[in-house]
Amino acid sequence: MAIAIPAIYRSTVGKKAVMAVTGGILVLYLIAHMVGNLKIFVGAEDFNHYSHWLRTLGEPAVPYRTVLTAIEVVLAVSIVLHIWSAISLAKRAGQARPVKYKSKKKSHAQGYAVHTMRYGGIIIALYVIWHLLDMTFLVVNPKGRDATPYERVVADFQPSHWYITLFYIVAVLLVGLHLRHGVWSAMQTLGLRSPRNDRVLRALAATIGAVVALGFISVPVSVTFGWVG
């Protein structure tokens, strides 16, 4: 039985709107997650308290971890719709112009953006899988279940695990590049861009990408170099 898909989503405009909205949800989550991660610089007690608070949010009105699970479901749906929309738009663009123009080459900026979003997305997806196995399911974390969240983070990024730190940094840098391009594209899709504010919106998108990337990277780097631990 075929799944009914709303007509608005079947259109190119609808797919772009879904990408923009789901992308916005993911950006807000990343910013909130980054702020939470930075609590590690306040100390183990504050970081562990933050982790516990996430799981008990809403108690006693709702059971343990209910709100966090709901957030995770929204994120999962957003990721699926975001990727689905991106793939659908890419296929539609390819079908609309099956023969490449020999006389007109893509600009370096356009080619860079396409490769960053496509191949960077694969690396980001691998990172998300690792992160879930490491911090949610606790099956690859060196400390496992018999440790506090603070201890697990410190164990992950010890100097002897430099390859994990390097993989984390590469993935997060790609997230930053993805955000820079995605935020600007979303603003354009939602009709917020104009010739007058184009430079401002580009600067805003670049700033968001840089702040998020640097915020996330600061944690593993600080652990690896012994500034946190």
Side-chain angles (χ1 to χ4, degrees):
M1 180 177 178
I3 299 176
I5 300 176
I8 182 65
Y9 181 73
R10 291 198 295 268
S11 68
T12 298
V13 174
K15 292 178 186 294
K16 288 184 176 181
V18 170
M19 276 199 72
V21 172
T22 54
I25 292 173
L26 296 174
V27 169
L28 292 176
Y29 167 76
L30 283 172
I31 293 174
H33 189 29
M34 178 199 69
V35 172
N37 279 3
L38 293 177
K39 288 184 175 292
I40 200 168
F41 294 108
V42 183
E45 184 177 351
D46 284 270
F47 187 78
N48 291 331
H49 176 73
Y50 160 71
S51 181
H52 178 71
W53 172 79
L54 282 177
R55 288 157 177 76
T56 58
L57 188 62
E59 286 189 335
V62 293
Y64 175 79
R65 216 183 185 285
T66 298
V67 174
L68 181 58
T69 300
I71 292 172
E72 290 170 343
V73 170
V74 171
L75 288 173
V77 172
S78 297
I79 290 172
V80 170
L81 289 176
H82 196 75
I83 294 174
W84 189 11
S85 298
I87 294 173
S88 299
L89 287 169
K91 287 183 177 180
R92 182 165 294 185
Q95 292 170 353
R97 194 175 63 184
V99 179
K100 295 181 179 179
Y101 294 107
K102 294 182 179 180
S103 60
K104 185 177 180 181
K105 296 181 179 179
K106 287 184 177 180
S107 68
H108 290 297
Q110 184 181 6
Y112 165 79
V114 169
H115 282 80
T116 297
M117 299 297 276
R118 181 181 301 166
Y119 300 111
I122 295 173
I123 295 176
I124 292 170
L126 293 174
Y127 161 74
V128 170
I129 293 172
W130 170 81
H131 190 59
L132 289 172
L133 292 174
D134 182 48
M135 288 298 179
T136 300
F137 301 108
L138 307 175
V139 296
V140 298
N141 187 272
K143 289 288 186 178
R145 299 184 181 277
D146 299 326
T148 65
Y150 183 91
E151 290 171 338
R152 294 184 194 118
V153 172
V154 171
D156 262 338
F157 303 114
Q158 289 299 302
S160 58
H161 296 160
W162 60 269
Y163 47 91
I164 295 294
T165 302
L166 180 61
F167 173 60
Y168 185 101
I169 291 173
V170 170
V172 170
L173 286 174
L174 288 170
V175 168
L177 293 173
H178 200 90
L179 282 179
R180 185 183 71 172
H181 180 75
V183 169
W184 183 84
S185 296
M187 291 177 179
Q188 187 175 27
T189 298
L190 296 175
L192 301 177
R193 175 188 169 276
S194 69
R196 295 182 60 182
N197 66 10
D198 181 69
R199 293 182 64 181
V200 174
L201 293 183
R202 286 182 182 274
L204 176 61
T207 300
I208 292 174
V211 169
V212 170
L214 291 175
F216 276 106
I217 288 173
S218 65
V219 175
V221 168
S222 296
V223 173
T224 298
F225 284 95
W227 304 328
V228 170

